[in-house]
C-alpha cells in the first residue's frame, strides 16, 4: 500500500484562482501545434508551466472548419489576449506541425503587440523513421 504524502501547511482558505492570476510574466513561450484537423496554441512561462491555452475546437469551430487559417488565427488571439493582460511583453514562438494554421497563427501573434525574440520550427522529422511492417502476402 502506498504511503500517504504529508501535506505541509493548509490551503483551505487560499483561493487557487487568485494565485494563478497573481503571476506576472514578462517573458514567455508560445507553442503552436498546427495539424490538418486542428490548431492548438499554448502559452507557457520560460520554465514550461502553462499560463494560457486555446484551440480552434474550444473557439467554437467544429468539423473541417477547425483546420482553417481563420480558426488558427482566432485560437491564437484568444490564447494571447489573457497573457497580454497579465503583462507579457516578450515571447519565443515554437511552431510544430504541417497544418494550414501555421502562418495565420504567427500573423495573429505578431499583431498582438508582443515582441518576438525568435520563431523556431520544431516539427519532428524522422531520420528515416520506423521500420515498415512486413509484406502481407508473397
Amino acid at each position: 500500500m502506498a504511503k500517504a504524502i504529508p501535506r505541509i501547511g493548509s490551503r483551505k482558505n487560499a483561493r487557487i484562482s487568485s494565485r494563478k492570476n497573481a503571476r506576472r510574466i514578462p517573458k514567455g513561450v508560445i507553442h503552436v501545434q498546427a495539424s490538418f484537423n486542428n490548431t492548438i496554441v499554448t502559452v507557457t512561462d520560460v520554465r514550461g508551466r502553462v499560463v494560457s491555452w486555446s484551440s480552434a475546437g474550444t473557439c467554437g469551430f467544429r468539423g473541417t472548419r477547425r483546420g482553417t487559417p481563420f480558426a488558427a488565427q482566432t485560437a491564437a488571439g484568444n490564447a494571447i489576449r489573457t497573457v497580454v493582460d497579465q503583462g507579457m511583453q516578450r515571447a519565443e514562438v515554437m511552431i510544430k506541425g504541417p497544418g494550414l494554421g501555421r502562418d495565420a497563427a504567427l500573423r495573429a501573434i505578431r499583431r498582438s503587440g508582443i515582441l518576438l525574440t525568435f520563431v523556431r520550427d520544431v516539427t519532428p522529422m524522422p531520420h528515416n523513421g520506423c521500420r515498415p511492417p512486413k509484406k502481407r502476402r508473397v
Side-chain angles (χ1 to χ4, degrees):
M1 195 169 105
K3 194 166 74 172
I5 301 165
R7 290 262 173 155
I8 300 163
S10 106
R11 266 189 13 195
K12 276 183 200 156
N13 301 336
R15 294 216 325 265
I16 293 169
S17 62
S18 64
R19 187 194 70 203
K20 194 171 182 183
N21 293 340
R23 231 189 280 152
R24 288 189 63 73
I25 41 169
K27 188 167 188 248
V29 185
I30 302 169
H31 300 269
V32 178
Q33 290 176 282
S35 68
F36 291 118
N37 297 321
N38 202 355
T39 304
I40 305 168
V41 182
T42 311
V43 185
T44 67
D45 59 6
V46 284
R47 288 182 59 189
R49 295 176 298 191
V50 174
V51 181
S52 167
W53 70 276
S54 181
S55 71
T58 58
C59 292
F61 294 93
R62 285 285 171 258
T64 52
R65 292 188 8 225
R66 282 187 312 190
T68 61
F70 177 67
Q73 177 185 322
T74 310
N78 283 5
I80 288 167
R81 194 176 308 123
T82 55
V83 292
V84 169
D85 295 341
Q86 289 182 20
M88 185 184 279
Q89 292 128 10
R90 295 189 311 279
E92 305 166 356
V93 180
M94 309 286 196
I95 300 181
K96 181 188 286 187
L100 297 171
R102 293 166 58 103
D103 301 331
L106 185 59
R107 219 171 290 130
I109 294 166
R110 281 249 165 83
R111 231 182 288 126
S112 69
I114 292 178
L115 188 75
L116 301 184
T117 51
F118 67 83
V119 179
R120 179 178 287 174
D121 185 11
V122 290
T123 306
M125 286 287 184
H127 294 273
N128 218 11
C130 302
R131 180 176 174 159
K134 67 178 178 45
K135 296 285 180 267
R136 288 169 65 91
R137 282 173 202 78
V138 179

